[in-house]
Amino acid sequence: MIRATAPQFSDDLRTYRSNGVWPDQVRDPVAIAAVSAPDRTALVDRVERLTYGALQRAITETAALLLEHGVEERGAVVLIGANDCRSAVAFHAIRRIGAVCVLVSDHAGPTDISLALEWTEPRLAMAPRSLIGLLSQRHQSVRWLSSEHDASVRHLEPFAGDRSGPNSPGVVVFTSGSTSRPKGVIHSTNTLRVAAGNYIDAAGLEPSDVFFLVSPLSSITGVLQALVMAPLLAGCAVLEDEWDDGTTFDLLINERATFYGGPDVILRRLLDEADRRELSSVSLRAVSVGGALLDTLLLRRAEKMFGIRVMRAYGSSEAPFSTTTRHTAELEDRVELDGQPNRGVDVRIGSLGDKSECLIRGPHLFMGYLDAEDNSDAFESGWFRTGDAGVLRGDQLKIVGRLKEIVIRNGIKISMPVVEQAALGLPFVHDAAAFGRLDQDTGEHLVLAVRPIDGVRLDFGMLTGALLGTGLAKRSLPEELIVWDVPFPRTVTEKLDRAALAEESVGRPRLFADRLKS
């Protein structure tokens, strides 16, 4: 059984329950929408379309199947999720019976999947049919069930809401931080509902809005937008699993998507495709983007050239959607600042570890990490330490950089220490160090500097293939390789100096992924 592990959670539980922020009973929004708008489209992917009525029936059938397989209330079910309707159905079914949905991306490496299974000890796991054979061989102690199972009629009454209660652990997502392994982030129904409600209010979203999701369904962005916000509004979520400039743009236009929330690099790709087609408008009416390295010229272009209302937001898996520039704010604030704290959210600058660190608290905050030891450095007197540097301009937050050692490529976080550790385990590598480089197509890409052992001639394909062999996820592979022949620069405390590493990399031999060769 997964339990809340954050040291301040019991005090927050009493406070938020007593003031009504966290109700003790919450009805499932999908069940509500299935009654009020059964014929309204709920989910769309490239091959399937589900109305709320159909979604409700699919959830009920899958929930019955899970119960037949012995899944218990508050037990864990690992879901290897893709951006498709079937994964969304599986998520809702797991929550409907009161089990904890442990979300892992279908693009995750074998090491990440193994950790999720080890930490949560599920009796059953679900995955797309194409992965079941391989996963069953690798993890024989777990019963694997396809998320694309054939529907059958089961006599099961619809549940009004999850049986475990809205203040119990309900969802786990994984995030990469500055440690050598991912962290499991625990949320409840109520923490997610608070974040989603704030998001809806600040962005001015309506039931007629159509969410366009490119971020993984297994990420906090995917959970909030497609699995919580859309049902709360009885709106529609369009799920894009494989990015392609042309066909992705077609999907957005054909489904008349009105809202996009995610990394700005995706927004730029969409607008570039519109330019290639000589279009002066798209269906999007609003976008919400976040990050310290946002392209403000892109945001101005989206608003002035395409009439899209742009907003900035700040949050993380642990503290989702903490601040935003509201849709009613002036353009300059919406482009340049990360916004005001949302309802119930407190923000302060300065921790014991760093005077510029941004700290967050509020009813949207996660319940702790799967490994309670990860909480020791994550909290300070009830405040969550974000690891990001920020400043407050009046009541407006501005994130100015990251203290954590991650690179964000296409909105996906890549832990530099994780990649370094994988490289150091290779027999032909003497030392390895990573840093991020700005990339106009992906926001950033990962650069890996490698000191090979004497006599080894590095080859890009050889190195990346060897890294995959260690269990590193494909999405975490470096796209630029620098050959190093001297010790890496370090600070006076012997900590790797990544800024100096980037500066000293100029002029050194380097190899590139195919994407960067042109």
Side-chain angles (χ1 to χ4, degrees), residues 252-272:
L252 181 145
I253 296 300
N254 293 339
E255 297 301 332
R256 299 179 181 176
T258 62
F259 179 80
Y260 163 76
D264 60 343
V265 293
I266 299 298
L267 174 62
R268 186 182 64 251
R269 288 184 177 185
L270 291 169
L271 298 187
D272 286 349

Side-chain angles (χ1 to χ4, degrees), residues 104-262:
V104 181
S105 171
D106 62 333
H107 294 298
T111 300
D112 291 347
I113 295 174
S114 296
L115 284 174
L117 295 170
E118 176 185 341
W119 286 339
T120 60
E121 299 181 339
R123 296 180 59 179
L124 182 140
M126 302 182 75
R129 184 176 290 117
S130 61
L131 300 178
I132 288 292
L134 178 61
L135 291 170
S136 297
Q137 291 178 4
R138 287 179 172 173
H139 309 286
Q140 298 181 11
S141 62
V142 181
R143 179 181 298 175
W144 287 91
L145 180 66
S146 171
S147 54
E148 304 164 56
H149 63 275
D150 294 329
S152 60
V153 177
R154 292 180 170 83
H155 299 289
L156 182 71
E157 291 297 321
F159 300 104
D162 74 83
R163 295 173 169 181
S164 62
N167 295 316
S168 299
V171 178
V172 176
V173 296
F174 289 88
T175 184
S176 298
S178 58
T179 63
S180 60
R181 56 175 174 76
K183 295 178 180 179
V185 178
I186 305 171
H187 275 284
S188 69
T189 294
N190 272 333
T191 61
L192 294 174
R193 283 177 66 93
V194 169
N198 283 344
Y199 203 142
I200 290 170
D201 181 56
L205 298 174
E206 302 171 350
S208 59
D209 277 308
V210 178
F211 295 83
F212 192 71
L213 183 72
V214 181
S215 299
L217 194 70
S218 58
S219 67
I220 194 65
T221 298
V223 170
L224 279 176
Q225 293 185 29
L227 304 176
V228 184
M229 291 165 59
L232 281 174
L233 289 168
C236 175
V238 177
L239 309 176
E240 172 61 302
D241 195 46
E242 294 291 340
W243 176 272
D244 175 85
D245 286 347
T247 57
T248 297
F249 187 85
D250 288 340
L251 182 64
L252 181 145
I253 296 300
N254 293 339
E255 297 301 332
R256 299 179 181 176
T258 62
F259 179 80
Y260 163 76

Side-chain angles (χ1 to χ4, degrees), residues 215-422:
S215 299
L217 194 70
S218 58
S219 67
I220 194 65
T221 298
V223 170
L224 279 176
Q225 293 185 29
L227 304 176
V228 184
M229 291 165 59
L232 281 174
L233 289 168
C236 175
V238 177
L239 309 176
E240 172 61 302
D241 195 46
E242 294 291 340
W243 176 272
D244 175 85
D245 286 347
T247 57
T248 297
F249 187 85
D250 288 340
L251 182 64
L252 181 145
I253 296 300
N254 293 339
E255 297 301 332
R256 299 179 181 176
T258 62
F259 179 80
Y260 163 76
D264 60 343
V265 293
I266 299 298
L267 174 62
R268 186 182 64 251
R269 288 184 177 185
L270 291 169
L271 298 187
D272 286 349
E273 182 65 19
D275 284 341
R276 282 191 287 271
R277 301 186 186 197
E278 299 182 347
L279 299 176
S280 58
S281 66
V282 294
S283 58
L284 290 175
R285 72 171 186 87
V287 298
S288 178
V289 294
L293 302 174
L294 288 180
D295 184 346
T296 58
L297 292 177
L298 170 68
L299 301 186
R300 295 178 192 279
R301 171 190 171 201
E303 180 130 345
K304 293 182 178 180
M305 302 299 293
F306 290 88
I308 301 171
R309 175 67 53 136
V310 298
M311 293 163 281
R312 290 180 60 146
Y314 172 69
S316 63
S317 298
E318 297 90 341
F321 206 65
S322 294
T323 70
T324 183
T325 52
R326 300 183 66 84
H327 67 284
T328 54
E330 295 296 326
L331 174 62
E332 286 304 307
D333 286 347
R334 287 187 285 109
V335 169
E336 297 292 342
L337 301 175
D338 293 296
Q340 298 172 307
N342 287 314
R343 181 176 48 210
V345 178
D346 294 316
V347 176
R348 91 169 198 226
I349 302 299
S351 67
L352 296 176
D354 193 295
K355 64 180 180 181
S356 66
E357 185 172 16
C358 177
L359 281 75
I360 304 286
R361 68 179 180 187
H364 68 314
L365 203 63
F366 74 130
M367 302 170 72
Y369 294 111
L370 279 179
D371 187 344
E373 292 185 3
D374 288 331
N375 293 321
S376 58
D377 294 327
F379 294 92
E380 185 176 297
S381 301
W383 293 77
F384 172 62
R385 297 181 57 188
T386 66
D388 294 321
V391 295
L392 283 172
R393 299 178 181 175
D395 62 351
Q396 300 272 351
L397 176 67
K398 172 72 173 179
I399 297 296
V400 297
R402 294 194 301 275
L403 303 176
K404 294 182 178 180
E405 297 176 309
I406 59 175
V407 167
I408 301 181
R409 179 185 182 276
N410 277 337
I412 304 298
K413 295 180 179 179
I414 303 171
S415 170
M416 290 186 276
V418 167
V419 179
E420 290 166 348
Q421 187 176 62

